[in-house]
């Protein structure tokens, strides 16, 4: 052990220890078994007909992997591992600019402890958001290192795969990816190619959403067939996504679910918990956004695109989690290129270090931001 420790100084050893300690608390605080609702999504495949969200199940069927609950639980843990490692890699990027600045370390631990990042993805085990996040991070990596046309082709392919995994990724990650593409290629941006690819992805999303509904069986018969084949863990409510695809239906269902006092209280608690982080981001970005380029503003703003799904799905706190994760990713990536932003983040998180520490402590205490409710302690 001493042979490896000699490569690190005391400061780095303390940082690594605190990082693993924080991640461990997040895992212990947030780990959740895969629900029957999410397990059922892993059953979807193209065996009888094309259905939306069927790519993962088709991949498993192609390799003759039995989609048992135990296997799905194991796959979900592996997926969480890759998501956590990938986000750790992104969150640590700003430290390359300021390896010894305490403010940047506080930003890092705020990102790691955040109820909407690691904790949410660990809590929401089994959902396909993790796959889509990994595809998005690969796309951002391609934009950074590939030429304009090569990266455009690469992100188009990954985006199609992501939409086949879950059609909502068009709203969750596509704006973030393409705004970063526009920012990185702003000196020689081919708008016709950019908008052509975005339009093709929009048409693909629409086609998958409409054509991916089950036609061969009604929901009762389909539920019966899946129960016979896969057992009693099949959730009939989970199958409804393959039968109701209209905007009108989704909007009406969402309004019925969210227009109540209980949902208002959950939103109020969420904003109270995140108020320290809102203040820290506001103090760091307010001056920067006034004088930075339009492309950088659009990139940061596009991170909030998951909130466009507010009227279409009542997973409101899931949308907030994904938006906050995207925002943190965009700030980390920009701070690597932009020394001014890096310094502002470091200065403000250090200047308001008590607020930073307060947010870290509160985050680890309240646990993950959930899906249809804010935090577990608020449920009543």
């Amino acid at each position: 052990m001493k042979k490896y420790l000699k490569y690190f100084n005391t400061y780095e050893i303390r940082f690594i220890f605190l990082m693993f300690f924080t991640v461990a608390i997040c895992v212990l605080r947030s780990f959740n078994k895969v629900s029957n609702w999410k397990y059922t999504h892993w059953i979807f495949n193209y065996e009888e007909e094309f259905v939306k969200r069927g790519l993962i199940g088709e991949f498993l069927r192609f390799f003759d992997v039995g989609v048992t609950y135990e296997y799905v639980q194991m796959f979900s843990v592996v997926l969480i591992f890759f998501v956590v490692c990938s986000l750790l890699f992104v969150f640590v990027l700003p430290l390359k600019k300021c390896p010894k600045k305490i403010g940047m370390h506080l930003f890092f631990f705020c990102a790691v402890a955040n109820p909407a990042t690691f904790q949410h993805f660990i809590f929401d085990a089994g959902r396909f958001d993790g796959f889509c996040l990994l595809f998005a991070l690969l796309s951002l990596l391609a934009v950074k290192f590939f030429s304009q046309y090569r990266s455009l082709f690469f992100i188009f392919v990954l985006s199609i795969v992501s939409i086949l995994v879950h059609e909502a990724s068009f709203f969750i990650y596509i704006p973030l990816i393409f705004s970063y593409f526009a920012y990185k290629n702003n000196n020689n941006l081919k708008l016709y190619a950019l908008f052509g690819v975005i339009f093709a992805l929009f048409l693909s999303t629409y086609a998958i959403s409409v054509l991916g509904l089950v036609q061969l069986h009604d929901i009762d018969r389909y539920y019966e067939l899946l129960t016979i084949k896969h057992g009693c863990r099949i959730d009939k409510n989970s199958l409804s996504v393959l039968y109701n695809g209209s905007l009108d239906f989704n909007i009406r269902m969402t309004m019925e679910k969210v227009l109540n006092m209980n949902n208002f209280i959950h939103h109020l608690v969420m904003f109270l918990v995140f108020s320290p982080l809102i203040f820290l981001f506001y103090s760091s970005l307010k001056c920067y956004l006034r004088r930075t380029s339009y492309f950088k503003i659009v990139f940061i703003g596009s991170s909030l695109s998951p909130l466009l799904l507010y009227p279409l799905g009542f997973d409101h706190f899931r949308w907030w989690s994904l938006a906050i994760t995207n925002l943190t990713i965009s700030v980390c990536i920009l701070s690597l290129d932009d020394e001014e932003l890096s310094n502002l983040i470091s200065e403000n998180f250090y200047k308001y270090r008590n607020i930073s520490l307060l947010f870290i402590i509160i985050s680890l205490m309240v646990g993950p931001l959930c899906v249809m409710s804010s935090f577990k302690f608020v449920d009543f």
Side-chain angles (χ1 to χ4, degrees):
M1 188 68 175
K2 290 180 179 178
K3 182 175 75 172
Y4 297 104
L5 288 177
K6 70 180 181 180
Y7 295 107
F8 302 96
N9 59 40
T10 306
Y11 189 85
E12 289 168 336
I13 292 171
R14 284 203 299 262
F15 170 74
I16 293 169
F17 172 77
L18 283 173
M19 180 184 73
F20 281 110
F21 178 73
T22 307
V23 171
I25 293 177
C26 289
V27 172
L28 294 172
R29 192 78 179 80
S30 309
F31 186 75
N32 200 20
K33 287 187 176 182
V34 176
S35 67
N36 290 344
W37 196 95
K38 284 175 278 191
Y39 164 68
T40 303
H41 273 54
W42 290 71
I43 303 294
F44 301 166
N45 58 48
Y46 309 148
E47 184 176 10
E48 291 189 333
E49 59 182 318
F50 173 79
V51 294
K52 61 183 182 179
R53 308 183 194 179
L55 185 64
I56 299 299
E58 181 61 21
F59 180 83
L60 295 175
R61 188 179 75 87
F62 179 82
F63 288 100
D64 199 28
V65 177
V67 190
T68 63
Y69 179 81
E70 290 71 26
Y71 273 138
V72 170
Q73 185 70 57
M74 180 184 69
F75 294 147
S76 298
V77 171
V78 173
L79 177 60
I80 288 170
F81 173 79
F82 280 107
V83 167
V84 168
C85 289
S86 299
L87 287 178
L88 269 178
F89 173 78
V90 174
F91 294 164
V92 85
L93 287 177
L95 290 173
K96 293 179 69 176
K97 284 275 187 183
C98 313
K100 292 291 180 71
K101 289 188 177 179
I102 295 174
M104 197 54 81
H105 284 81
L106 288 170
F107 169 78
F108 171 82
F109 284 107
C110 283
V112 171
N114 194 322
T117 57
F118 286 179
Q119 294 199 66
H120 171 79
F121 279 97
I122 295 168
F123 169 79
D124 207 16
R127 200 181 292 276
F128 292 160
D129 290 345
F131 288 111
C132 297
L133 173 65
L134 294 177
F135 293 138
L137 292 176
L138 284 174
S139 298
L140 295 172
L141 206 61
V143 172
K144 184 168 181 63
F145 293 108
F146 292 173
S147 64
Q148 182 171 173
Y149 285 112
R150 285 181 64 191
S151 63
L152 193 60
F153 173 77
F154 195 80
I155 62 179
F156 175 73
V157 172
L158 282 175
S159 296
I160 288 291
V161 173
S162 186
I163 291 167
L164 286 168
V165 170
H166 199 303
E167 68 282 2
S169 65
F170 179 83
F171 296 97
I172 297 169
Y173 295 116
I174 300 302
L176 184 74
I177 295 166
F178 281 94
S179 61
Y180 184 58
F181 176 87
Y183 155 64
K184 293 298 286 184
N185 297 280
N186 67 84
N187 292 326
N188 187 31
L189 185 62
K190 301 294 190 294
L191 286 174
Y192 64 89
L194 178 63
F195 286 113
V197 170
I198 294 173
F199 185 65
L201 290 173
F202 172 76
L203 290 180
S204 301
T205 303
Y206 178 77
I208 290 167
S209 300
V210 173
L211 301 177
L213 302 178
V214 173
Q215 305 294 331
L216 296 180
H217 310 288
D218 61 37
I219 191 169
D220 294 320
R221 177 58 179 162
Y222 195 43
Y223 172 69
E224 181 184 348
L225 291 172
L226 290 180
T227 302
I228 292 170
K229 188 174 182 179
H230 297 282
C232 61
R233 283 192 176 273
I234 301 299
D235 189 319
K236 191 174 182 179
N237 290 326
S238 185
L239 299 179
S240 63
V241 301
L242 301 180
Y243 287 88
N244 304 307
S246 70
L247 286 176
D248 178 61
F249 173 83
N250 286 322
I251 291 172
R252 278 191 288 107
M253 184 175 65
T254 301
M255 292 303 103
E256 289 172 5
K257 294 277 187 179
V258 302
L259 294 179
N260 55 68
M261 182 56 67
N262 185 33
N263 191 56
F264 173 78
I265 292 171
H266 275 285
H267 275 81
L268 181 62
V269 171
M270 179 189 70
F271 283 114
L272 286 172
V273 169
F274 280 96
S275 58
L277 186 66
I278 293 170
F279 172 79
L280 290 166
F281 269 126
Y282 173 75
S283 61
S284 301
L285 295 174
K286 63 178 179 180
C287 295
Y288 175 77
L289 293 176
R290 287 189 196 132
R291 55 178 180 259
T292 194
S293 72
Y294 170 78
F295 288 100
K296 292 179 182 178
I297 295 171
V298 171
F299 178 48
I300 292 173
S302 68
S303 62
L304 302 178
S305 62
L307 300 180
L308 295 172
L309 292 164
Y310 239 63
L312 301 179
F314 47 87
D315 306 3
H316 284 175
F317 301 94
R318 175 185 166 205
W319 310 143
W320 275 108
S321 292
L322 297 174
I324 293 166
T325 300
N326 283 357
L327 178 61
T328 310
I329 290 170
S330 67
V331 169
C332 287
I333 291 173
L334 270 185
S335 65
L336 191 62
D337 297 335
D338 193 324
E339 191 169 347
E340 181 190 4
L341 177 60
S342 179
N343 289 333
L344 283 169
I345 293 287
S346 180
E347 288 167 10
N348 281 284
F349 274 73
Y350 180 72
K351 179 181 178 181
Y352 302 110
R353 52 192 175 277
N354 291 335
I355 296 177
S356 301
L357 289 169
L358 175 66
F359 178 71
I360 293 168
I361 293 168
I362 290 175
S363 296
L364 295 175
M365 287 177 61
V366 299
L369 189 60
C370 300
V371 177
M372 288 178 284
S373 59
S374 57
F375 301 98
K376 290 179 182 179
F377 72 88
V378 189
D379 287 334
F380 50 84

